[in-house]
Amino acid sequence: MTSLTGRALRLTVYIGEDDTWHHKPLYSEIVHRAHAAGLAGASVFRGIEGFGASSRIHTSRLLSLSEDLPVAVVVVDTEERVRAFLPELDELVREGLVTLDECEVVRYVGRAAVQGPAAPHGGGSP
């Protein structure tokens, strides 16, 4: 497991849920490539409503049901590792928004480190 504390960079990729890469969800491809690149972690968040450069509003409300909801893929790691990953996104992201933000990692502990023999049951993160 990668050790990560202190200054870091947060990469956020805003895309549509229906965006694909070789018939596979684009968000999944980004996560798998981030994992293969050895980045500290990646999470995908599905939005309930939003719009982007096309100015078309996508929403999960029943009366105006959209299948192409907004999705954000968030990766946090050192600046060096995140910037080294950016060329992967140049290949993958045809439409969307990619942002970088400085952040501070306060705690980064994997499940295996928390659930040792002395750890109480359910002591890991959700």
Side-chain angles (χ1 to χ4, degrees):
M1 184 177 87
T2 303
S3 175
L4 183 64
T5 56
R7 290 189 53 184
L9 206 57
R10 177 179 47 234
L11 164 68
T12 307
V13 182
Y14 300 92
I15 54 177
E17 184 178 35
D18 288 346
D19 292 346
T20 60
W21 176 258
H22 294 237
H23 309 289
K24 178 179 175 183
L26 178 57
Y27 60 82
S28 181
E29 183 67 18
I30 294 169
V31 168
H32 283 86
R33 287 197 187 194
H35 184 259
L39 293 171
S43 297
V44 178
F45 300 94
R46 183 178 188 223
I48 58 171
E49 189 166 26
F51 71 94
S54 68
S55 292
R56 184 169 166 234
I57 294 182
H58 302 271
T59 181
S60 64
R61 287 181 284 154
L62 189 57
L63 294 177
S64 55
L65 190 59
S66 172
E67 294 180 10
D68 191 24
L69 292 171
V71 170
V73 182
V74 180
V75 176
V76 177
D77 207 321
T78 64
E79 180 173 359
E80 179 182 339
R81 287 174 173 251
V82 169
R83 290 197 184 276
F85 185 67
L86 292 178
E88 297 270 357
L89 296 178
D90 287 340
E91 177 187 357
L92 295 172
V93 180
R94 304 274 185 234
E95 296 176 352
L97 173 67
V98 177
T99 64
L100 295 172
D101 301 289
E102 290 184 4
C103 62
E104 181 180 355
V105 175
V106 177
R107 182 177 175 159
Y108 177 67
V109 179
R111 186 168 304 196
V114 173
Q115 292 182 347
H121 180 66
S125 53

